[in-house]
Amino acid sequence: MVIVVGSRNSSNSNRLREVASHRGARAYMVDRADELDPEWIADAARVGVTAGASAPDVLVREVLDRLRALGAGEVRELTGVTEHVVFPLPKGLAGAPASS
């Protein structure tokens, strides 16, 4: 099974879920770790975790921590291409003061 960390309105995240599903894996998408349903992984021999391009790394780490808390025996990070992509704020927000 595969868990995609990303927003439901992200075409990239949705495509990752679709690709996993078309490859025969049960695939789920979550915005946050607390959306992970323990039943999804109850009978899974392996769980793959991936993320949409704009998903913050901290959210992926939280999903991995949740998997550990739910009993994952081993969590391994597979090496791949390291990306250093930064998404700038939209022009209207770049200089706007933070609201409280």
Side-chain angles (χ1 to χ4, degrees), residues 35-51:
E35 294 177 359
L36 226 168
D37 186 338
E39 289 184 21
W40 296 346
I41 63 168
D43 64 345
R46 292 186 184 195
V47 177
V49 177
T50 188

Side-chain angles (χ1 to χ4, degrees), residues 17 34 48-49 62 68 74 78 84 89:
R17 186 188 49 75
D34 62 357
V49 177
E62 288 174 1
R68 284 184 190 96
E74 177 185 2
L78 301 178
H84 301 284
L89 288 173

Side-chain angles (χ1 to χ4, degrees), residues 17-97:
R17 186 188 49 75
E18 288 171 6
V19 168
S21 182
H22 288 147
R23 299 285 302 184
R26 287 181 295 133
Y28 303 95
M29 190 165 23
V30 297
D31 271 321
R32 298 181 324 271
D34 62 357
E35 294 177 359
L36 226 168
D37 186 338
E39 289 184 21
W40 296 346
I41 63 168
D43 64 345
R46 292 186 184 195
V47 177
V49 177
T50 188
S54 59
D57 190 54
V58 66
L59 297 180
V60 176
R61 299 280 171 215
E62 288 174 1
V63 166
L64 296 176
D65 289 344
R66 174 110 165 104
L67 287 170
R68 284 184 190 96
L70 293 172
E74 177 185 2
V75 176
R76 287 187 302 141
E77 186 170 340
L78 301 178
T79 58
V81 176
T82 301
E83 296 180 345
H84 301 284
V85 178
V86 176
F87 291 90
L89 288 173
K91 289 180 184 179
L93 295 178

Side-chain angles (χ1 to χ4, degrees), residues 1-22:
M1 77 156 285
V2 174
I3 297 168
V4 177
V5 181
S7 177
R8 287 169 180 39
N9 64 356
S10 164
S11 59
N12 176 261
S13 297
N14 278 296
R15 184 68 179 135
L16 288 168
R17 186 188 49 75
E18 288 171 6
V19 168
S21 182
H22 288 147

